[in-house]
Amino acid sequence: MSIEVRNVTKKFGTFTAVDDVSVTVPAGELVALLGPSGSGKTSLLRIIAGLETPDAGIVFFEGEDQAQRDVRVRRVGFVFQHYALFRHMTVFENVAFGLRVRPRASRPSVADIRAKVMDLLKLVQLDWLADRRPSELSGGQRQRVALARALAVEPKVLLLDEPFGSLDARIRQELRRWLRRLHDDIRLTSVFVTHDQEEALDVADRVVVMNRGRIEQIGTPQEVFEHPATPFVMTFIGQSAVFAGTVQGGKAFLGSLAAVDFPAHLHEEARPAAGYARPHELEVTRIENGGGGLWATLRHASPAGAVVKLELTDPEGGSLQVEVTREQHEALQAGVGESLYVKPRKLRIFVQEDATSDAPDTPRAPRA
Amino acid sequence: MSSASPRRRVLPGFGLTLGFTLLYLSLIVLVPLSTLALRTASMGWGPFWATVTSPRVLASYRLTFGASLAAAALNGVFGLVVAWVLARHRFPGQKVVDALVDLPFALPTAVAGIALTSLYSPNGWFGRPLEAMGLKVAFTPLGIVVALTFIGLPFVVRTLQPVIEDLDVEVEEAAASLGAGRRQTFAHVILPALFPAWLTGFALAFARALGEYGSVVFIAGNMPMRTEITSLLIITKLEQYDYAGATAIAVVMLVASFLLLGAINRLQSWASRRGAAA
Amino acid sequence: MRRALTEPPLVRGALLAVALVFLAIFLVMPLVAVFAQALEKGFGAYLTALREPDAWAAIRLTLLTAAIAVPMNLAFGLAASWAIAKFEFPGKGTLLTLIDLPFAVSPVISGMIFVLLFGRQGLLGPFLGAHDVKVIFAVPGIVLATVFVTFPFVARELIPVMQALGNEEEEAARVLGAGGWQIFFRVTLPNVKWGVLYGVILCNARAMGEFGAVSVVSGHIRGLTNTIPLHVEILYNEYNFQAAFAVASLLAFLALVTLLAKSVVEWRSGRAARPEAPVREAA
């Protein structure tokens, strides 16, 4: 079942948690809401679930307005960040709860409930823990009980709030692979909230990047990483080097870099702008390789698997992170303290918009 | 926009529970209490002042406040020792002793009153030897102090005990490592940390003693001007159908206890800020 | 025990001795005195005092009063804690202060306000007199005064417990399709049951033992408007000490049961001694 959020706004007092957000989740997709804390992603998820009422806007399930439908009848599966397992019930009772509270007419028989719950517990590989209480389970096990409990009511959409947030790193990796496989099997329209960009890119079909209550970009993990729509997305997802400067008359003058062509801004008036490059998009050489770059001093080199991470200082004292392959690093034969020539292979330049139209630190108008 | 839905709360029952809460609160507490204000307002300042400053009433204030203060002080000293021992020492029967500290809350005041009276009356277990030493307790202000000490005993202990348990022992160890003796550590490190809680417990015991009635009436002797506490005076006025007089005295006591509890609230937030900063 | 934290053995011993002697004089001895005096003339006399009709009437009235006051304040406590812990609304701080109000009113004044309201010269006195309804010097007055003095017990115990538990489990139940009563009985109540029990125990102890407030409104009519504490007073003032202590021993026994039940609940609910509870009683 598809989900559509149209022009939704939610305020808590004077704080705008969700600011005129519209997004569509196609049926059967696994979508990540990604953003820093306070970006409104959890509020948006709770609005979709019906746990919060939006101040404005509409939520549609399969084209149907949900405004008048209570959370009770929306048929959503919701996995809470801290699982919200019923602490006085066993694992079995937790999973059975949604079936047992149904009105008598639509309630399955005791035997059917039992069969269904045990099936679900098998699915999440916890059937051997059916009689335990939540307090006797590990974090990862609780997470899976919460998921089984949400699935028991045969939801039409599955919503997960920071599903891996309170687990340690190794379990988190395991569980997210498992969630991806589970989703491939059951193909339930799912939305999960995360602040971990790696997690979002790894698991989701589509990523919705949020910041300050607004959507910065919607796209596949590939699109979001390779073609960030805004400087926020650029800096929030992956590392990048920043060259601050101005654009004027079709040229960009950025930090210590040589001027580059920027036909998107032909205006004679100078505007503040910044250029961004990923660490692997910076080229490092011992000689001035055709110009357009800058000289920087090598501070530190650390091998990290197939690549070597270099830390350099540019003439203005700013720090530059660069990734080169092992072969390149060996060929370079650079020692700490030596000057190297750094040149971006690819530069994404964002012109800052009028200060009145947006916050000063979120320039817009992308260009690759 | 079509769906201007009313603000809906996810969990049900808000209207029902808040409505019942407010109705019940009004009927049981607010309406009855407001009669006090109503009576006072209809009384006029002159008669009010005359009543609350008559010699017999003033004598009862002196006795009530004085005995309450003495009892709170007694609890302040011994309550600290009891709290310290319960929090820091381990001894057989500790659980029982710990539970027993709450006895003054659980034991009806009338029972405490007659029990203390029989203990301290001239032929009682404590009264006889004390009388031999020339000390009269029952039917004197001293007896009132004894009853109020009993009533206020748990307050100092129960406010101090958790604070002592939560004291960061590393701070004491740090003091010791810096060369402080046990007595110096106690005086300069532990006592200052306990002071806000101690003062809170002291004030609570004092506030409770001010309004106490049941445990005191039996042991007090109830002689006007000498051993008549304010609560008893209110009852006496009521029994003479002097509602106005009773109301006036009650208002003075109520204002005193509100002021005191306001101060205690401020004290407690100070104490918790202190605790958080430590 | 860490060395730096240990007083010298002599000081330890002295502190322990001071504490125990103080507690023995002020707590244990009064308790012992009650039972000793009750049994002074033998077990037969003890039973006789308890079997006396007026004593029975007092016991019945006390049980009746508690049986009305405790459920009422339990219902209030559940409603108030649900509204306050589960929802945000303006004026919540004021409401909490008002709920605490009866703790700040001394027993005698608590009784007095009902005399001012329902007494012969009270606000509603003429009206009640015209309709031949007796509140003061009758059972309704005793019940009202008791409800007033025990008003905050359950609510004040439950509100922090419910607030600490948060709303997540209830929201989860809602998402899974549970109705209001289903959420309350299947999710909330099992989680707060020890808090409820704790509040009920304290509320009941006070309801059965209240003296000052009830004394003001009762009128002390033997066999009719005497609760156990009031009956104790009458017997004592008639110099019938043995009978007074015999009846008082019932209340002392109740106090011990209360302390025991309290300790059991504290132990079962896994919490240490609850210092806030007594503190709030005065506040």
Side-chain angles (χ1 to χ4, degrees):
Chain A
M1 193 172 71
S2 67
I3 304 169
E4 190 195 341
V5 173
R6 195 184 292 166
N7 303 110
V8 161
T9 296
K10 175 78 186 174
K11 290 182 180 160
F12 294 104
T14 55
F15 174 71
T16 305
V18 180
D19 189 1
D20 194 24
V21 160
S22 297
V23 60
T24 303
V25 179
E29 267 200 6
L30 177 56
V31 169
L33 295 180
L34 173 65
S37 61
S39 60
K41 54 194 192 306
T42 293
S43 298
L44 182 58
L45 191 79
R46 289 172 64 87
I47 288 169
I48 295 172
L51 287 168
E52 306 280 357
T53 315
D55 297 324
I58 317 177
V59 175
F60 297 99
F61 285 179
E62 204 66 54
E64 203 182 320
D65 183 354
Q66 298 293 308
Q68 298 308 322
R69 304 193 68 198
D70 189 86
V71 55
R72 239 184 122 180
V73 293
R74 275 198 199 189
R75 298 276 303 275
V76 295
F78 198 98
V79 177
F80 289 80
Q81 185 177 0
H82 304 290
Y83 320 132
L85 295 178
F86 306 126
R87 65 196 88 189
H88 63 284
M89 296 183 199
T90 63
V91 166
F92 181 93
E93 289 165 339
N94 260 282
V95 178
F97 184 88
L99 302 171
R100 286 179 174 171
V101 295
R102 282 195 190 163
R104 199 174 296 274
S106 58
R107 193 188 309 156
S109 71
V110 171
D112 287 350
I113 291 178
R114 169 142 213 105
K116 171 125 199 205
V117 171
M118 290 317 287
D119 277 353
L120 277 165
L121 286 177
K122 278 199 192 84
L123 180 73
V124 298
Q125 300 151 7
L126 286 176
D127 44 330
W128 54 291
L129 290 177
D131 295 324
R132 298 278 183 90
R133 305 230 167 204
S135 58
E136 299 166 307
L137 305 181
S138 71
Q141 290 167 339
R142 284 179 209 181
Q143 166 70 43
R144 283 181 282 157
V145 174
L147 195 59
R149 184 179 70 178
L151 292 174
V153 293
E154 291 174 11
K156 290 184 278 183
V157 300
L158 182 62
L159 308 172
L160 306 99
D161 187 5
E162 294 277 4
F164 315 112
S166 23
L167 301 171
D168 62 49
R170 204 178 54 80
I171 307 278
R172 192 150 64 196
Q173 289 238 340
E174 238 170 63
L175 212 55
R176 75 189 193 210
R177 289 281 144 68
W178 176 82
L179 179 70
R180 180 69 236 187
R181 281 199 305 275
L182 185 74
H183 182 263
D184 290 341
D185 288 343
I186 59 180
R187 281 278 151 208
L188 185 61
T189 311
S190 306
V191 180
F192 75 100
V193 156
T194 180
H195 64 271
D196 181 343
Q197 42 116 349
E198 197 188 316
E199 194 167 288
L201 300 186
D202 192 26
V203 179
D205 295 318
R206 198 180 292 265
V207 179
V208 177
V209 186
M210 291 190 72
N211 182 35
R212 298 172 169 218
R214 290 172 181 250
I215 291 178
E216 295 271 338
Q217 188 175 6
I218 303 174
T220 63
Q222 172 93 16
E223 282 165 358
V224 171
F225 188 77
E226 292 295 332
H227 306 290
T230 66
F232 173 81
V233 178
M234 181 78 208
T235 48
F236 188 71
I237 297 177
Q239 280 195 314
S240 51
V242 188
F243 305 93
T246 52
V247 288
Q248 186 175 22
K251 293 265 185 198
F253 310 92
L254 302 169
S256 314
L257 299 177
V260 292
D261 285 338
F262 188 64
H265 187 86
L266 294 168
H267 210 277
E268 276 309 309
E269 188 198 350
R271 291 283 289 277
Y276 297 82
R278 299 278 185 215
H280 67 273
E281 292 164 351
L282 292 168
E283 222 170 62
V284 182
T285 48
R286 297 191 73 98
I287 51 155
E288 194 167 322
N289 182 17
L294 57 84
W295 285 97
T297 313
L298 182 63
R299 291 289 170 212
H300 186 70
S302 56
V307 297
V308 179
K309 292 184 173 177
L310 306 180
E311 190 187 332
L312 300 102
T313 320
D314 69 17
E316 274 127 51
S319 170
L320 283 174
Q321 313 291 328
V322 181
E323 272 176 32
V324 296
T325 63
R326 267 180 185 280
E327 294 74 31
Q328 285 169 331
H329 183 244
E330 272 159 35
L332 209 57
Q333 286 203 329
V336 168
E338 279 185 69
S339 266
L340 296 171
Y341 193 70
V342 181
K343 180 182 161 186
R345 260 193 300 267
K346 186 175 179 185
L347 198 59
R348 299 168 187 78
I349 299 169
F350 297 96
V351 180
Q352 192 172 316
E353 284 185 353
D354 289 337
T356 48
S357 72
D358 203 346
D361 62 333
T362 51
R364 269 159 199 270
R367 213 219 84 146
Chain B
M1 281 284 144
S2 62
S3 63
S5 72
R7 274 192 65 85
R8 183 160 24 79
R9 297 174 194 263
V10 176
L11 295 179
F14 177 67
L16 178 73
T17 53
L18 187 66
F20 177 67
T21 299
L22 293 177
L23 179 72
Y24 189 77
L25 176 74
S26 306
L27 287 180
I28 300 292
V29 177
L30 299 183
V31 170
L33 263 182
S34 62
T35 57
L36 210 56
L38 227 62
R39 274 275 169 182
T40 318
S42 67
M43 200 175 165
W45 181 248
F48 177 86
W49 188 250
T51 307
V52 300
T53 56
S54 72
R56 187 171 166 189
V57 177
L58 284 179
S60 85
Y61 294 154
R62 268 195 297 276
L63 176 67
T64 306
F65 280 82
S68 298
L69 212 55
L74 220 62
N75 277 320
V77 175
F78 290 101
L80 174 62
V81 178
V82 172
W84 183 265
V85 165
L86 285 176
R88 280 291 174 88
H89 293 187
R90 294 291 163 262
F91 56 91
Q94 187 169 18
K95 283 228 168 69
V96 178
V97 173
D98 192 34
L100 213 59
V101 168
D102 283 332
L103 182 73
F105 290 137
L107 192 70
T109 52
V111 180
I114 62 167
L116 290 170
T117 311
S118 82
L119 280 176
Y120 289 94
S121 65
N123 53 5
W125 295 347
F126 293 158
R128 203 192 303 263
L130 286 173
E131 184 121 318
M133 288 153 58
L135 199 61
K136 277 173 98 74
V137 178
F139 317 125
T140 71
L142 199 57
I144 300 174
V145 174
V146 168
L148 295 180
T149 305
F150 172 85
I151 283 303
L153 194 149
F155 289 101
V156 177
V157 179
R158 291 300 191 221
T159 35
L160 275 178
Q161 203 178 340
V163 180
I164 296 174
E165 277 163 5
D166 287 350
L167 275 184
D168 190 355
V169 291
E170 282 187 1
V171 175
E172 288 169 56
E173 290 178 325
S177 77
L178 294 169
R182 193 61 194 148
R183 200 174 308 169
Q184 285 169 307
T185 305
F186 193 81
H188 297 296
V189 178
I190 298 173
L191 272 190
L194 295 184
F195 183 70
W198 180 85
L199 199 58
T200 306
F202 175 88
L204 284 168
F206 180 62
R208 169 72 203 261
L210 281 186
E212 179 54 24
Y213 172 70
S215 61
V216 178
V217 279
F218 297 97
I219 204 169
N222 307 329
M223 301 271 293
M225 303 299 293
R226 286 193 43 233
T227 56
E228 186 180 51
I229 57 165
T230 312
S231 287
L232 180 70
L233 197 53
I234 294 173
I235 288 203
T236 310
K237 298 249 177 216
L238 277 179
E239 280 171 355
Q240 295 161 352
Y241 292 101
D242 178 7
Y243 285 10
T247 307
I249 304 170
V251 164
V252 171
M253 292 308 279
L254 208 55
V255 167
S257 97
F258 283 165
L259 287 178
L260 201 55
L261 290 167
I264 290 169
N265 271 341
R266 219 156 298 154
L267 253 175
Q268 275 174 327
S269 63
W270 176 44
S272 63
R273 269 204 313 279
R274 264 282 195 99
Chain C
M1 196 90 193
R2 303 194 190 193
R3 270 204 77 218
L5 307 179
T6 323
E7 289 90 20
L10 208 65
V11 178
R12 281 172 66 84
L15 283 176
L16 188 60
V18 168
L20 292 182
V21 167
F22 177 72
L23 293 179
I25 291 176
F26 277 96
L27 294 183
V28 180
M29 286 312 289
L31 205 55
V32 172
V34 171
F35 290 104
Q37 305 245 19
L39 295 166
E40 196 182 23
K41 295 179 184 159
F43 200 65
Y46 177 75
L47 285 181
T48 311
L50 293 184
R51 278 207 209 99
E52 200 233 338
D54 286 349
W56 262 114
I59 292 170
R60 273 200 306 275
L61 181 56
T62 294
L63 291 176
L64 173 75
T65 306
I68 298 171
V70 175
M72 276 175 73
N73 285 331
L74 172 62
F76 164 73
L78 290 170
S81 57
W82 182 270
I84 288 169
K86 302 290 175 204
F87 302 96
E88 288 306 321
F89 55 91
K92 197 192 265 196
T94 312
L95 181 58
L96 280 170
T97 309
L98 290 178
I99 289 175
D100 270 344
L101 209 52
F103 279 156
V105 181
S106 74
V108 166
I109 300 178
S110 305
M112 189 185 113
I113 54 177
F114 290 98
V115 175
L116 293 185
L117 195 56
F118 298 114
R120 210 157 22 129
Q121 298 169 29
L123 271 182
L124 301 177
F127 174 83
L128 293 174
H131 292 80
D132 206 23
V133 179
K134 239 175 127 54
V135 176
I136 298 306
F137 304 150
V139 175
I142 292 173
V143 172
L144 273 176
T146 306
V147 170
F148 180 90
V149 293
T150 58
F151 176 88
F153 279 94
V154 182
R156 286 310 272 157
E157 193 52 44
L158 269 185
I159 290 166
V161 174
M162 272 208 204
Q163 277 175 332
L165 284 169
N167 282 3
E168 266 208 346
E169 285 184 44
E170 282 80 7
E171 284 182 356
R174 193 69 174 167
V175 176
L176 291 168
W181 294 109
Q182 284 175 320
I183 295 176
F184 180 73
F185 283 110
R186 294 189 185 212
V187 177
T188 309
L189 203 54
N191 278 335
V192 300
K193 60 174 183 253
W194 293 116
V196 173
L197 198 57
Y198 199 90
V200 165
I201 289 168
L202 296 180
C203 184
N204 180 64
R206 182 73 191 266
M208 291 194 170
E210 177 54 28
F211 178 70
V214 171
S215 175
V216 174
V217 296
S218 131
H220 307 274
I221 307 164
R222 280 187 101 138
L224 282 180
T225 62
N226 268 348
T227 60
I228 304 177
L230 296 178
H231 190 60
V232 169
E233 183 197 21
I234 289 187
L235 292 171
Y236 191 85
N237 286 343
E238 288 169 348
Y239 301 101
N240 193 350
F241 293 141
Q242 187 269 329
F245 279 104
V247 179
S249 74
L250 290 179
L251 293 174
F253 186 68
L254 171 75
L256 291 177
V257 171
T258 299
L259 290 184
L260 185 69
K262 200 162 148 291
S263 302
V264 168
V265 169
E266 277 162 8
W267 173 67
R268 282 303 304 262
S269 60
R271 57 180 168 188
R274 294 293 312 265
E276 311 99 293
V279 168
R280 275 194 241 107
E281 254 163 75

